[in-house]
Amino acid sequence: METIIEAVQRKYSNKSGQLEFQVVFNDRVGNDFNTLFASLPEHGRNYFAAAVAASFYGRVFPSSSIHIAYSSAALNWLSKAPEGLTVEGSPAWNGGKIHYSGAPDAVARAYEQQFEEDMEMFFRCRAQEIAAGGLILIIMAAVADTHCQHRVAKMLTSIESILIDMVKEGVLSQERVDSFNVPIVFPCVEDIRRLVGKINSFEIVKMEMIKGESAMEGGTETAVMHIRAGLEGTLTNHFGNEIVEQVFVRAMQHQQKLHFAQINTSTTGVFAVIKRN
Ligand SMILES: C[S@@+](CC[C@H](N)C(=O)[O-])C[C@H]1O[C@@H](n2cnc3c(N)ncnc32)[C@H](O)[C@@H]1O
């Protein structure tokens, strides 16, 4: 946010009067906002800070009240796992798997459909909240094309194999795994472009691929910690603390076997600047 504010200050440096900035942080209600506020710089902060706890797949702010919105590494999370994945007999039944990675086409299509609905909802809500001429900046994980597998998606299959081992050992029931799917997608850039294009209120100013997070390149242990940071909450809600602890102990023990390191897949993302007409 500091970088964005500095850019705006530079742009308006010739204008008379001091600009004031209000940053409103947004995350779901379960987020630890106390830690967020405690981590903000105590001195020299050039903005007023506030927060709204709500899903961005609904309205979060009053009409035309936002000049710049920044969504960082969040739009990969769907509003929910797609319907049908847990319905035995449905074409998208995803028994024994926890994601579309390595799953039948119908499962991938169900995820795509959910992503499409969610993106539409996200942009319809932002269209009301962002003032005319305002911007949305987005950074999210993405792949160059649909044949490319994102590294995090590949890691999910490793977590899946640990869960299946635990089923075989009787630690966990098959039903528990069958009824769980991670609500996360790694869309291809062209799909994101198409979905934004569907909403008339916005125009894409810039959309480019970026190299993935450096945390993913710090070796297998870092990779396991990274995926734990991202997934622990979702896994714990479904499986409980004890199971999740075991999953990550096993992930650390079997890093090599689970080929967290040798995965030769994309760690890319997309950066987009989108303008409200
Ligand atoms: C990988 S973290 C990124 C956190 C932070 N934006 C950053 O860049 O460091 C993804 C965040 O998105 C939040 N998130 C996911 N779905 C959301 C939703 N529907 N509404 C609001 N926040 C959401 C999660 O709670 C999580 O904190």
Side-chain angles (χ1 to χ4, degrees):
M1 296 321 299
E2 277 174 13
T3 307
I4 292 170
I5 288 168
E6 277 165 22
V8 175
Q9 277 171 331
R10 254 200 314 278
K11 183 162 174 162
Y12 288 91
S13 58
N14 298 333
K15 302 259 158 55
S16 59
Q18 180 80 27
L19 284 178
E20 288 191 326
F21 295 88
Q22 163 133 302
V23 173
V24 187
F25 294 95
N26 163 245
D27 207 299
R28 289 188 293 216
V29 279
N31 187 53
D32 180 359
F33 286 97
N34 287 335
T35 297
L36 167 74
F37 282 104
S39 72
L40 297 179
E42 250 179 75
H43 305 291
R45 177 154 51 81
N46 55 1
Y47 56 87
F48 297 96
V52 183
S55 169
F56 51 56
Y57 292 124
R59 284 292 301 274
V60 177
F61 303 109
S63 299
S64 303
S65 65
I66 302 294
H67 295 111
I68 300 182
Y70 172 44
S71 170
S72 165
L75 273 169
N76 295 95
W77 287 95
L78 298 171
S79 60
K80 57 177 188 205
E83 316 251 304
L85 300 186
T86 55
V87 181
E88 218 170 329
S90 138
W93 159 244
N94 203 26
K97 303 201 58 63
I98 63 167
H99 192 237
Y100 64 82
S101 189
D105 279 356
V107 173
R109 278 200 301 277
Y111 271 88
E112 276 164 25
Q113 174 70 29
Q114 187 64 50
F115 180 62
E116 186 146 350
E117 281 170 29
D118 285 348
M119 284 288 273
E120 190 160 343
M121 185 57 89
F122 176 85
F123 280 105
R124 290 210 183 289
C125 292
R126 299 304 80 77
Q128 294 181 60
E129 297 167 351
I130 296 179
L135 297 175
I136 308 187
L137 315 176
I138 294 175
I139 286 182
M140 66 189 287
V143 291
D145 66 69
T146 41
H147 304 295
C148 207
Q149 194 178 30
H150 198 275
R151 192 175 184 199
V152 178
K154 182 73 190 166
M155 287 166 120
L156 288 174
T157 60
S158 298
I159 297 294
E160 184 180 281
S161 78
I162 294 173
L163 289 166
I164 294 298
D165 282 351
M166 289 166 81
V167 170
K168 287 184 190 144
E169 291 165 26
V171 181
L172 199 58
S173 75
Q174 180 72 49
E175 188 276 330
R176 217 72 207 112
V177 176
D178 290 350
S179 57
F180 177 72
N181 290 285
V182 185
I184 199 167
V185 284
F186 303 95
C188 72
V189 178
E190 281 320 306
D191 277 345
I192 299 173
R193 193 185 292 281
R194 179 178 59 80
L195 294 175
V196 177
K198 272 176 72 177
I199 315 285
N200 291 331
S201 327
F202 290 102
E203 162 201 341
I204 298 172
V205 178
K206 182 180 204 169
M207 189 172 282
E208 61 189 34
M209 292 297 287
I210 47 173
K211 202 173 173 315
E213 319 92 295
S214 55
M216 303 303 285
E217 278 135 33
T220 49
E221 212 168 298
T222 317
V224 174
M225 281 157 67
H226 189 85
I227 198 140
R228 182 170 190 165
L231 278 188
E232 186 162 21
T234 312
L235 286 168
T236 305
N237 282 344
H238 187 84
F239 295 104
N241 273 328
E242 234 173 84
I243 296 288
V244 175
E245 189 58 40
Q246 276 196 49
V247 167
F248 287 104
V249 167
R250 286 173 189 234
M252 281 293 187
Q253 282 166 352
H254 304 296
Q255 288 165 39
Q256 300 313 326
K257 192 175 116 202
L258 292 169
H259 54 75
F260 275 121
Q262 307 89 297
I263 305 162
N264 182 21
T265 42
S266 146
T267 55
T268 46
V270 71
F271 170 61
V273 179
I274 298 163
K275 187 172 177 186
R276 174 78 172 91
N277 294 326

